[in-house]
Amino acid sequence: MGEETPVVVGLNAVIVAVTRESPRILTITASRRGPAGSGRDPTWVDGDVLPYGPLDPAADRTLELALRGWVAEQTGLEVGYVEQLYTFGDREREGTRAGGVPRVISVAYLALVREKPPPDTSRARWRDWYTFFPWEDRRNGPPKLVAETIRPALEAWVSEAPAALARRERLERAGIAFGLSGSAWDPDRVLERYELLYEVGLVWESVRDRGRSETPDRATVLGRPMNADHRRILATGLGRLRGKLRYRPVVFELLPPSFTLTQLQRVVEALVGIRLHKQNFRRLVGRGGLVEGTGEIDADTGGRPAELYRFRREVLRERRAPGVGLPGVAARS
């Protein structure tokens, strides 16, 4: 029998905030370049990782309590809303190639907070999530990089398929993922788009994992890279969050206790990456009984004073799926 591979169980956190219409992700600055022969991929670079902590099977009573504890220790943040996202356990996902190196199984969580600066002594940094996924922000229309870089690369990838059936399948997959060839743009397909770009070779992690000995020129790949498979974990979390907006009131975890309807709409738009029709959005929010007026006015809007609202917690008992709705975006089948 071969040598047993040790297994390490860890916890990752996709921690999301929205500040001034910027959706933000908390990352940790990491340096993981290992010496030759260490089993560490030589193309692993200094860069971002999601907050991570090991599970202590003896001391940690639950996974969630362990997550909350080391997030507070690493970042100084007390997270509020938390839900388990997915378990990631592919071999070599940590950039290791030699035997004897522990296989890392990560249980990922999605957490929503209101942004606070991390302690000066922390390696934690808030970053706009569209720096990792620039093709996802369509609030000002489709990004130029879709027409200039992504679409030509996808067309070349389709044409390189070895048979007609494979070309049709690739064409359909590219069209559905990026809203091309008559397909509608689906905001929830964040992971599918990232995995397609990985397969085509347009993200740094793809170049790294193909075993190239040199560090690739970051100008030739799309978005800010992350170490290990953390950008894949991040894509999974963002897709989950976008989908939940339709049927759970999670957006209110990212807002102050009182807010204007414009603030509410801007936070939703920041998360989903598209502009929404103002009157239709307000009609959906009002019809759903999600908010109620506070009787107070916000005079500091930069324009006309606006009424302040708060989340109606009673809606959790009244409706099975109290989401904000996304007018103009088709529900995913």
Side-chain angles (χ1 to χ4, degrees):
M1 296 180 63
E3 181 182 356
E4 291 187 2
T5 301
V7 175
V8 175
V9 177
L11 306 171
N12 282 100
V14 177
I15 303 176
V16 180
V18 177
T19 302
R20 294 185 296 275
E21 300 188 37
S22 174
R24 311 268 277 172
I25 297 295
L26 194 69
T27 68
I28 306 293
T29 302
S31 178
R32 296 288 297 276
R33 186 183 299 278
S38 67
R40 179 64 57 190
D41 185 337
T43 62
W44 183 289
V45 299
D46 296 346
D48 296 309
V49 295
L50 295 170
Y52 168 88
L55 175 71
D56 185 338
D60 293 329
R61 186 164 61 87
T62 70
L63 299 183
E64 184 176 319
L65 287 175
L67 175 105
R68 291 178 181 276
W70 60 252
V71 165
E73 180 181 339
Q74 286 185 10
T75 69
L77 283 175
E78 298 291 338
V79 296
Y81 176 91
V82 171
E83 70 168 80
Q84 193 171 125
L85 186 62
Y86 196 74
T87 300
F88 298 83
D90 292 353
R91 283 187 300 178
E92 301 181 0
R93 55 177 297 268
E94 289 288 312
T96 54
R97 300 189 184 280
V101 178
R103 181 167 180 177
V104 180
I105 308 296
S106 291
V107 182
Y109 282 79
L110 174 66
L112 307 180
V113 300
R114 297 184 185 107
E115 182 177 339
K116 296 179 182 178
D120 293 338
T121 56
S122 170
R123 291 179 295 132
R125 296 290 182 271
W126 287 103
R127 299 195 188 278
D128 189 312
W129 82 25
Y130 291 124
T131 64
F132 300 101
F133 306 101
W135 53 87
E136 293 289 339
D137 188 2
R138 300 167 65 95
R139 286 174 290 179
N140 295 316
K144 289 184 178 180
L145 64 85
V146 174
E148 295 175 354
T149 304
I150 293 176
R151 185 165 193 154
L154 292 178
E155 290 172 347
W157 175 71
V158 170
S159 67
E160 293 166 359
L165 177 59
R167 285 193 292 275
R168 287 197 297 271
E169 290 175 345
R170 288 188 178 189
L171 182 64
E172 180 181 56
R173 183 180 169 195
I176 291 174
F178 280 92
L180 307 174
S181 304
S183 298
W185 172 264
D186 186 342
D188 300 2
R189 297 184 184 271
V190 184
L191 179 61
E192 294 173 46
R193 284 186 283 274
Y194 173 75
E195 291 188 330
L196 179 56
L197 296 179
Y198 178 97
E199 184 173 342
V200 176
L202 290 180
V203 293
W204 177 86
E205 293 86 344
S206 174
V207 180
R208 175 201 66 195
D209 294 346
R210 289 172 181 176
R212 287 176 49 172
S213 59
E214 73 276 10
T215 301
D217 179 2
R218 293 192 181 186
T220 65
V221 291
L222 302 178
R224 184 180 180 89
M226 300 187 81
N227 285 336
D229 61 350
H230 287 203
R231 197 154 42 146
R232 181 169 180 253
I233 296 175
L234 182 55
T236 304
L238 303 191
R240 170 76 66 83
L241 179 54
R242 284 180 169 184
K244 289 184 79 72
L245 291 174
R246 295 184 176 90
Y247 62 90
R248 297 298 299 168
V250 291
V251 66
F252 298 103
E253 300 287 341
L254 301 167
L255 285 158
S258 59
F259 48 84
T260 68
L261 293 181
T262 297
Q263 286 177 306
L264 172 59
Q265 181 174 339
R266 293 291 180 257
V267 169
V268 173
E269 291 174 339
L271 295 173
V272 79
I274 58 175
R275 292 297 181 197
L276 303 173
H277 188 279
K278 177 179 176 180
Q279 295 306 322
N280 288 348
F281 178 79
R282 294 190 175 193
R283 191 175 300 115
L284 281 173
V285 170
R287 187 183 300 158
L290 291 167
V291 300
E292 61 185 359
T294 65
E296 299 177 355
I297 297 296
D298 181 7
D300 189 21
T301 63
R304 291 168 50 184
E307 184 178 0
L308 287 168
Y309 291 80
R310 58 176 165 245
F311 172 55
R312 283 188 67 250
R313 300 200 65 83
E314 293 83 359
V315 76
L316 297 173
R317 298 191 300 270
E318 298 166 354
R319 293 174 54 197
R320 293 180 59 188
V324 296
L326 301 176
V329 179
R332 188 172 177 180
S333 60

